[in-house]
Amino acid sequence: MPKNPLVHHPPWRQLLILSVIAPLIVGLAVLAFTWPASRTEARSLPVGVVGTGVAAQKAAEGLTNARPGAFDLHLYASDAEARSAIEHREVYGAFEVSSRRIVFLTASAASPAVAQLLTSAAGAMAGQLSSTTQPVAASVVQDVVPTSSDDPRGSTFAAAMTPLVLGGVILAVMVAVLVGFKPAVREIVALAVVSCMAGACVHLVAQDYIGALPGNRIGTWASLSLMLFAISSFVAGMAALLGPGGVAVGGILMVFVGNPFAGVSSAPELMPSVVGQLGQLMPPGAGANLLRSAAYFNGHGAAQHAVVLGVWSVVGIAAILEGHRRVAHRHNARHSNDLLADSPLYEALSDVTAESGVRT
């Protein structure tokens, strides 16, 4: 059992301290999950506008003036260019505007929340561009990269992220704390193996049973495994450096910071800018977007997210190696002291020192 850090306080004071700290922790946890969601709105959302005519220019001006700072507009000369940009995850959607109608190209697989927001914007744009002499027809929506038919709203995909993050923490606890693989290389190999096996299990459930992850099987499995390894290796590294308390540090960072800041149910551009950027630099956010790229976009837009997960994995491996090195160093130092204490020379020197002290 871990030592009670409040053992030197009387019971009434322990209760008082817990009555302050525990509610504060719970409140901060709720705040971490609810505050980003309560501030959801478009912020520099990458969106395309197709065409160079007067209608397209008016559409771009309308988007900019109606919601300043909400959209990062990209101009495309043709429908094909806009579709290619959507498929390569350069923009979330594109408005193809003419004097007769508005065609909105979207990718619900990138973010169902963004697709819904932009669809509403297309309807509002059609109303703004209408005139009494030549009204613009109602907007036509074309989903270039749709979500799976078994997960049309993307709710299953979003729901899977929290268990995945928790799963990475649990893997670290099992390998680094409960079993305690030694030396460091054996622990790293064990984390890699169980991460790959857990990734395969999640892949079978999410893709074959539920149908929420269509696309390249190897890519989705590799994305799941890398995400789990990045989380588990970092948490295990914190445990190696800080002891069992390191699990709490790593787990809190992943579950209560990385997970709510990932923007899985919305999009990074719909969250407060600092939160959205920070979330994509942590394993939950990077892992979720890597998984989207593998499942729906043939790997397009995956490189930066794979790099983020790779960096966290390297940091975790380095922490594991350093933590085990420190433990081995302390063990060797204690062993050396024990051997010295048992040696005849040490005993003789001790006797001489004791006699000198007595004579003095």
Side-chain angles (χ1 to χ4, degrees):
M1 291 294 291
K3 184 179 178 181
N4 178 9
L6 305 177
V7 68
H8 299 297
H9 297 278
W12 68 267
R13 191 178 294 168
Q14 293 185 33
L15 177 59
L16 179 62
I17 293 173
L18 289 176
S19 299
V20 174
I21 294 178
L24 182 61
I25 293 174
V26 174
L28 289 175
V30 172
L31 178 64
F33 277 86
T34 58
W35 178 73
S38 68
R39 298 293 186 271
T40 299
E41 63 178 73
R43 298 173 177 86
S44 299
L45 195 67
V47 177
V49 176
V50 182
T52 57
V54 175
Q57 294 177 1
K58 287 183 177 180
E61 293 174 0
L63 286 172
T64 303
N65 296 332
R67 305 180 67 177
F71 302 108
D72 176 19
L73 296 181
H74 298 250
L75 301 179
Y76 300 102
S78 65
D79 175 89
E81 288 185 10
R83 289 176 181 270
S84 177
I86 292 172
E87 292 169 352
H88 285 74
R89 303 201 70 183
E90 296 172 7
V91 293
Y92 281 97
F95 297 97
E96 186 175 353
V97 185
S98 68
S99 59
R100 297 297 302 165
R101 68 172 186 168
I102 296 176
V103 177
F104 172 56
L105 307 176
T106 186
S108 59
S111 171
V114 172
Q116 183 178 2
L117 184 152
L118 294 178
T119 301
S120 299
M125 185 186 299
Q128 292 173 358
L129 294 178
S130 294
S131 63
T132 55
T133 56
Q134 194 175 29
V136 176
S139 58
V140 178
V141 179
Q142 297 180 5
D143 202 342
V144 178
V145 187
T147 56
S148 169
S149 58
D150 293 317
D151 187 24
R153 295 181 177 85
S155 55
T156 303
F157 184 96
M161 287 303 111
T162 298
L164 273 173
V165 176
L166 290 172
V169 177
I170 292 172
L171 293 181
V173 172
M174 293 172 63
V175 172
V177 179
L178 295 182
V179 177
F181 279 100
K182 294 178 182 179
V185 173
R186 184 177 297 171
E187 180 175 314
I188 294 168
V189 171
L191 286 170
V193 171
V194 296
S195 294
C196 290
M197 296 301 293
C201 183
V202 174
H203 175 272
L204 290 174
V205 171
Q207 184 158 343
D208 294 318
Y209 181 68
I210 298 177
L213 289 177
N216 184 283
R217 288 182 174 273
I218 295 178
T220 53
W221 165 73
S223 300
L224 288 165
S225 301
L226 181 57
M227 177 182 176
L228 288 169
F229 181 74
I231 295 173
S232 62
S233 62
F234 177 78
V235 175
M238 292 299 97
L241 289 175
L242 306 176
V247 175
V249 173
I252 289 172
L253 188 61
M254 294 298 161
V255 176
F256 294 108
V257 179
N259 192 38
F261 289 5
V264 179
S265 60
S266 56
E269 293 84 0
L270 297 185
M271 307 176 74
S273 57
V274 175
V275 170
Q277 294 170 6
L278 177 62
Q280 298 310 298
L281 294 176
M282 298 188 69
N289 264 308
L290 179 64
L291 191 56
R292 284 191 194 277
S293 293
Y296 289 106
F297 295 90
N298 295 318
H300 295 304
Q304 59 184 359
H305 306 299
V307 169
V308 170
L309 293 176
V311 169
W312 280 90
S313 300
V314 170
V315 170
I317 290 172
I320 292 171
L321 292 171
E322 176 61 18
H324 281 256
R325 187 196 67 79
R326 291 181 184 181
V327 171
H329 178 74
R330 289 195 294 267
H331 176 75
N332 292 335
R334 286 196 297 268
H335 185 63
S336 298
N337 291 335
D338 293 341
L339 291 176
L340 181 61
D342 293 337
S343 66
L345 177 61
Y346 182 83
E347 293 178 358
L349 291 174
S350 299
D351 293 341
V352 170
T353 303
E355 292 176 3
S356 300
V358 171
R359 291 173 183 174
T360 302

